[in-house]
Amino acid sequence: MAPPLSRRLLPPTLRALRRCYSASPASKAVIYDEHGAPDQVLRVADVPPVELGERDVCVRMLAAPINPSDINRVEGVYPVRPPLPAAVGGYEGVGQVHALGPAVTAPLAPGDWVIPSPPSFGTWQTYIVKHQSVWHKVRTDVPMEYAATVTVNPLTALRMLQDFVKLNPVLLSSFTHWIASDAIVQNGATSIVGQCVVQLAKVHGIHTINIIRDRPGSEEAKDKLKQLGADEVFTESQLDIRNVKSLLGALPEPALGFNCVGGNAASLARRHHGDIWWNVQETCDCSYFIFHFKDISLQGFWLQKWMNSDKADDCRTTIDYLLGLVHEGKLKYEMEVSPLIDFSLALEKALGKHGSHPKQVIRF
C-alpha cells in the first residue's frame, strides 16, 4: 500500500524529522550507586527504555572518554556530580541521532553526529534521551574519538590561551624581519591539555616553554612535544639552577603561566619573578591556576564554571573551530579506544594500574 499523500509530499529530510518514537531502545550503561573507588563501585548494567518527550532527541552513543574528572565524580570528590543511586558515569562524548520527538525543531536528522554541549552527565551508556537544546551537531569527517573528547581538554587549552592575557603573535614587519611573539609557560605539558596548549599556541604564533616531570621516558616525551611544536621543554631537575633565564636563549620571558601541578614545577615562574610563588595548593574548585606575569596576578580556571555561564554559543563555536583544526591535522593527541565490553580494563588503565597509557576512550 502506498504511503499517505501527506507523507509522500514531504522531502526526505522532513520525513526523517517527523519520524516518531515513543521510547529509546533498551540500553547498557556504566552506573554506580555510591561514591568510592571506581574499580569497586562502577558496573555495566542493563537499563530500561526512556520515554521521548515532544522535543527530546534519542542519541545512540558512539564513543566517550574516561577523564580524570569522571573518576573524581565517581569518587565523590568533584565539586559537581550526578545524584545517587543509579548515577551513569561520563560527562562528554559523541553520538549519532537515532530518533526525534514529534515536536523537535532543531536542524537534526537521524544519522547526524552530536555532542552534549555544554557537556552533560551520563555519557557512558549506549542510548541517551535528552532535550533537543542539549545537543550540538558536529562534523563527521574527523575520527569519532576526537569528537568525543573535544570539549573538556582542547576547549580548556584554548580558553586559557585566549581569555586572560592578550598574547602577541609572531608578526612580519615591513622590513621583512620577524618580531618576537609572546611566550607562555606551563607545567603538566605531557597531559592532553598541555599538548593542546602547545599546538594551539603554535597555530596562533605564540612560543611555549614546557615543564615535565623527571621520570623514565622523559627524553622521549620531550621529543614528542617538540614534534607538536613546543619551543622548549625542561624537566623539573633542569630548572633547579640559579640562572633559569640562561636556558631560554632568545625566547622572551613568559607573559602567561598555566599551573596544574604545583610543587617543583613552579620553579621557572618563581625564578623569573622573584617573590612570585607558583607553588599554590590546589584546594579550590579550579582545574588550573593562571598567572599573569605582566601585571603579576593570579586567577583560577574551571571549564565547567565557564560553560555554565552565558558562554553556550561561544562554547559551540569554539568546538567547531577545534574540530576544524583536527580535520586539518593541526590538533592531535594520542588515545586508546576500547569496546564497552572491555570497560573494566580501560578503567584500570585510566587509573594508572597498568603503567602509563594514553587517554582511554570507550566505543559503544
Side-chain angles (χ1 to χ4, degrees), residues 139 141-147 149-150 154 196 199-200 319-333 335:
R139 60 195 304 159
D141 56 358
V142 296
M144 67 178 180
E145 59 267 31
Y146 280 93
T149 59
V150 67
C196 290
Q199 295 170 87
L200 293 170
I319 283 169
D320 292 342
Y321 167 72
L322 290 167
L323 288 177
L325 293 180
V326 170
H327 179 68
E328 295 170 14
K330 296 178 180 178
L331 184 63
K332 56 187 177 181
Y333 40 89
M335 291 171 280

Side-chain angles (χ1 to χ4, degrees), residues 7-339:
R7 177 170 171 79
R8 281 183 280 148
L9 291 177
L10 286 173
T13 300
L14 291 181
R15 288 205 302 270
L17 288 174
R18 296 293 185 268
R19 212 176 289 162
C20 181
Y21 289 73
S22 61
S24 70
S27 184
K28 286 189 177 294
V30 181
I31 64 175
Y32 55 106
D33 297 315
E34 60 182 344
H35 295 302
D39 54 347
Q40 296 179 19
V41 300
L42 287 171
R43 70 183 192 279
V44 178
D46 294 321
V47 294
V50 176
E51 183 178 352
L52 268 74
E54 289 281 303
R55 297 185 184 276
D56 284 343
V57 177
C58 176
V59 172
R60 180 178 68 85
M61 291 302 292
L62 298 174
I66 304 176
N67 287 319
S69 56
D70 296 323
I71 291 171
N72 292 155
R73 286 187 180 89
V74 176
E75 294 169 334
V77 299
Y78 201 76
V80 180
R81 46 194 182 270
L84 299 175
V88 179
Y91 186 58
E92 67 172 335
V94 64
Q96 191 171 46
V97 173
H98 175 73
L100 303 106
V104 167
T105 57
L108 296 175
D112 288 344
W113 280 17
V114 291
I115 64 172
S117 180
S120 182
F121 297 133
T123 57
W124 293 351
Q125 56 185 316
T126 51
Y127 288 92
I128 302 178
V129 174
K130 290 185 182 290
H131 190 271
Q132 62 178 1
S133 61
V134 169
W135 302 107
H136 173 53
K137 182 178 175 179
V138 296
R139 60 195 304 159
T140 60
D141 56 358
V142 296
M144 67 178 180
E145 59 267 31
Y146 280 93
T149 59
V150 67
T151 303
V152 171
N153 292 150
L155 186 58
T156 292
L158 187 59
R159 293 273 54 94
M160 291 195 304
L161 282 168
Q162 294 189 340
D163 289 357
F164 293 92
V165 170
K166 181 174 175 55
L167 296 168
N168 298 308
V170 173
L171 297 174
L172 186 64
S173 76
S174 58
F175 299 102
T176 67
H177 292 299
W178 291 104
I179 300 174
S181 72
D182 279 335
I184 65 99
V185 58
Q186 66 167 339
N187 56 28
T190 57
S191 68
I192 288 188
V193 172
Q195 294 175 53
C196 290
V197 165
V198 167
Q199 295 170 87
L200 293 170
K202 181 180 179 181
V203 167
H204 292 91
I206 305 300
H207 296 299
T208 60
I209 303 162
N210 304 274
I211 305 170
I212 65 175
R213 290 190 176 99
D214 289 276
R215 58 186 175 190
S218 60
E219 290 304 315
E220 181 182 355
K222 284 184 181 182
D223 290 340
K224 287 183 177 180
L225 288 172
K226 289 287 187 72
Q227 290 171 14
L228 293 177
D231 290 279
E232 295 290 350
V233 186
F234 303 110
T235 60
E236 294 178 8
S237 61
Q238 284 182 284
L239 302 178
D240 194 20
I241 62 173
R242 290 190 175 274
N243 187 12
V244 172
K245 189 174 181 180
S246 65
L247 293 175
L248 301 184
L251 286 181
E253 293 189 7
L256 189 64
F258 304 146
N259 174 33
C260 68
V261 176
N264 291 335
S267 298
L268 182 57
R270 187 170 73 244
R271 297 272 166 75
H272 263 302
H273 298 276
D275 294 333
I276 300 302
W277 185 260
W278 202 12
N279 183 13
V280 291
Q281 295 296 316
E282 303 210 24
T283 55
C284 74
D285 60 352
C286 301
S287 300
Y288 274 79
F289 287 95
I290 314 297
F291 292 81
H292 313 186
F293 295 134
K294 290 181 178 179
D295 60 8
I296 313 300
S297 61
L298 165 68
Q299 287 181 255
F301 179 81
W302 185 28
L303 182 67
Q304 182 160 331
K305 184 177 289 185
W306 181 85
M307 291 188 296
N308 288 344
S309 62
D310 58 350
K311 302 294 186 181
D313 290 340
D314 289 347
C315 179
R316 294 182 174 192
T317 300
T318 307
I319 283 169
D320 292 342
Y321 167 72
L322 290 167
L323 288 177
L325 293 180
V326 170
H327 179 68
E328 295 170 14
K330 296 178 180 178
L331 184 63
K332 56 187 177 181
Y333 40 89
E334 191 176 359
M335 291 171 280
E336 185 175 342
V337 181
S338 301

